Amino acid sequence: MTRTLIHYGFHFILPLMVSLYWYRKEWKQVYIFFLLAMLIDIDHLWAQPIFDPDRCSVGYHTFHSTIAIAIYFLLLLPKKSRILAIALLWHITTDTIDCWLMSYYN
């Protein structure tokens, strides 16, 4: 239960706080980018099983791979894609924290 609350809090609540604090004028658009970054979880659909609470998604799923993460870092360079890159990297960070919690609680 604690792991789930932390994981989804990091996916939904912390991005809202970041959006409100650092991007006051355009916080809604920034928060939408954070939410849209969760679309990379579509790669879970072609895994067997689709959901496994004891599987670390980072390094396992296509859009959570080292190559994908490198692309997300490259997206930091152009100003137009920077918010998207931050949102994608935050998603990966959140999933990495979940992997650490998984090994702690198991």
Side-chain angles (χ1 to χ4, degrees):
M1 180 67 156
T2 302
R3 182 178 152 212
T4 302
L5 288 173
I6 291 170
H7 183 76
Y8 289 106
F10 275 48
H11 271 310
F12 292 100
I13 297 168
L14 251 52
L16 177 61
M17 291 172 24
V18 166
S19 300
L20 289 168
Y21 185 78
W22 277 292
Y23 300 96
R24 285 189 186 117
K25 290 182 182 178
E26 62 272 347
W27 75 268
K28 290 177 187 174
Q29 296 92 327
V30 172
Y31 187 59
I32 287 169
F33 271 98
F34 275 98
L35 295 178
L36 288 173
M38 285 190 266
L39 289 174
I40 67 171
D41 281 339
I42 197 166
D43 59 7
H44 291 247
L45 294 177
W46 49 84
Q48 290 296 328
I50 290 174
F51 177 72
D52 181 354
D54 294 325
R55 177 175 59 217
C56 180
S57 60
V58 179
Y60 183 85
H61 298 293
T62 308
F63 300 133
H64 294 70
S65 67
T66 305
I67 293 169
I69 295 167
I71 292 168
Y72 305 154
F73 271 106
L74 289 175
L75 288 172
L76 287 169
L77 300 175
K79 188 172 180 163
K80 287 187 175 189
S81 60
R82 196 163 295 148
I83 297 296
L84 176 62
I86 291 168
L88 290 166
L89 290 168
W90 180 251
H91 180 99
I92 296 296
T93 301
T94 297
D95 286 357
T96 300
I97 292 167
D98 188 58
C99 294
W100 295 339
L101 291 172
M102 177 181 57
S103 50
Y104 176 77
Y105 283 107
N106 285 344

